[in-house]
Amino acid sequence: MKNIEMLWKDNGVKIHDNVKIAGQVYITDYTALKSADGQRSLEARGVKQINDSYEQFGICSAPIVVKKKNKYIVVDGQNRIEVAKRRKWSIICSLVECNCSINELMIILNTTQNNWKLSNYLNNGIVYHQNPDYILLSELWNDTGIPLCSLYELFSYGETARIRKNLFEKGTWKVTTRDFALKVIDYVEKINKYITFSYKTNFIRAFAKCVEHDGFDINHFITQLKRFPNHIHDSGDKVTGHRAVIHKIYNNCTLSENQITLDV
């Protein structure tokens, strides 16, 4: 049986300035489906959750596809499609037409539904946008083991969180503070011998604020870590708590002219 399109009356329903639902397509031939470039990889956990949902309820929401020549490009719902394919079931997909690129539509859908992780946007920036700054970020993430969110914050340190997030999701994020980021990474690796939790995201956020201080001396800080190991403790998820610990260790038993007031 061939795939069957069921188009809606009056040329479909417009749901956004750039998007309209043209109808539905009944998929029996899965070779007609193609994952959108930059799409996130299938995750075993997501596939299992959908499979369990099928087992319990027997239904699921329709995946979203865009027709391009003789293929249906999957922009949302690849886990649902994967489960149906494994079960040798047919599946109905919503057929959408858009005035934006397929990649932009995919990002809009997944941003709205909060389906994507930072690593998914990283992959999209590499595969679809071929952005060299995303490639650099990926290499450093793999090489250092420092959390991805910390790296992308450090390399665009001057941006607000909202602007940084928006740019990263669109694939247009750029490295703007390379030297500062590399310095913080170097310091974090050096102090990890003494502060075993130095790779934690909120510690790095706190530490970066300290490194940003003009008078910060990493050699003095390492000396202090060696002198006062009992003052080292993990403040958990509180950035201010980590900054307070760093401030205390850095200035403890230090001549007043060598002390600095860190942002705590």
Side-chain angles (χ1 to χ4, degrees):
M1 184 176 178
K2 294 183 178 180
N3 300 323
I4 301 174
E5 290 185 8
M6 298 161 280
L7 302 181
W8 292 359
K9 290 182 179 180
D10 302 320
N11 203 29
V13 177
K14 196 170 186 179
I15 58 173
H16 183 274
D17 288 342
N18 292 320
V19 182
K20 72 175 181 179
I21 300 176
Q24 294 174 307
V25 55
Y26 182 75
I27 299 291
T28 57
D29 178 10
Y30 281 89
T31 64
L33 294 175
K34 181 180 182 296
S35 184
D37 290 339
Q39 180 65 273
R40 60 177 175 168
S41 301
L42 287 171
E43 296 182 353
R45 181 180 179 185
V47 172
K48 182 180 184 303
Q49 288 175 338
I50 295 296
N51 188 68
D52 291 346
S53 178
Y54 272 132
E55 291 282 359
Q56 186 173 359
F57 305 109
I59 57 173
C60 74
S61 56
I64 298 174
V65 300
V66 175
K67 189 173 184 179
K68 189 174 182 182
K69 296 182 179 179
N70 62 339
K71 293 288 185 180
Y72 297 100
I73 311 301
V74 180
V75 293
D76 184 62
Q78 61 173 354
N79 285 342
R80 282 163 274 170
I81 290 172
E82 177 64 19
V83 172
K85 182 179 177 182
R86 292 180 184 181
R87 288 173 170 265
K88 301 187 185 315
W89 289 350
S90 302
I91 192 169
I92 295 176
C93 300
S94 294
L95 185 59
V96 167
E97 295 178 1
C98 58
N99 294 328
C100 56
S101 71
I102 290 177
N103 190 263
E104 288 172 327
L105 174 62
M106 180 174 65
I107 296 301
I108 290 169
L109 288 170
N110 285 289
T111 301
T112 303
Q113 300 173 48
N114 294 316
N115 285 340
W116 278 26
K117 301 175 184 176
L118 202 60
S119 57
N120 299 135
Y121 292 111
L122 176 68
N123 178 68
N124 185 59
I126 294 171
V127 175
Y128 180 79
H129 296 281
Q130 297 183 354
N131 187 322
D133 289 351
Y134 285 63
I135 295 172
L136 170 66
L137 206 63
S138 179
E139 290 173 347
L140 284 168
W141 183 34
N142 290 324
D143 291 344
T144 65
I146 290 174
L148 178 58
C149 56
S150 296
L151 291 172
Y152 112 108
E153 288 176 10
L154 290 173
F155 278 93
S156 53
Y157 199 69
E159 301 287 1
T160 65
R162 183 176 180 179
I163 291 175
R164 183 190 298 119
K165 179 177 182 291
N166 184 260
L167 292 173
F168 201 76
E169 290 173 350
K170 289 182 176 179
T172 57
W173 175 87
K174 297 291 183 184
V175 169
T176 57
T177 50
R178 182 188 182 101
D179 291 344
F180 175 76
L182 292 176
K183 179 166 68 173
V184 174
I185 292 170
D186 178 49
Y187 290 176
V188 164
E189 290 176 335
K190 286 179 177 177
I191 65 175
N192 186 252
K193 178 180 178 181
Y194 312 101
I195 303 178
T196 57
F197 50 88
S198 69
Y199 283 17
K200 281 191 173 183
T201 297
N202 277 335
F203 177 84
I204 292 175
R205 285 179 178 142
F207 187 60
K209 290 294 293 183
C210 299
V211 173
E212 189 180 14
H213 195 290
D214 289 338
F216 185 83
D217 183 343
I218 186 61
N219 292 322
H220 170 75
F221 186 51
I222 290 175
T223 298
Q224 292 290 89
L225 290 173
K226 293 176 182 178
R227 290 179 64 193
F228 307 109
N230 291 336
H231 291 333
I232 300 171
H233 67 272
D234 188 349
S235 294
D237 294 329
K238 297 288 186 180
V239 174
T240 52
H242 286 301
R243 284 210 294 264
V245 171
I246 295 170
H247 179 274
K248 181 177 181 179
I249 294 172
Y250 192 96
N251 292 321
N252 193 37
C253 297
T254 299
L255 295 175
S256 57
E257 59 265 28
N258 295 326
Q259 292 183 7
I260 58 175
T261 302
L262 302 177
D263 184 12
V264 296

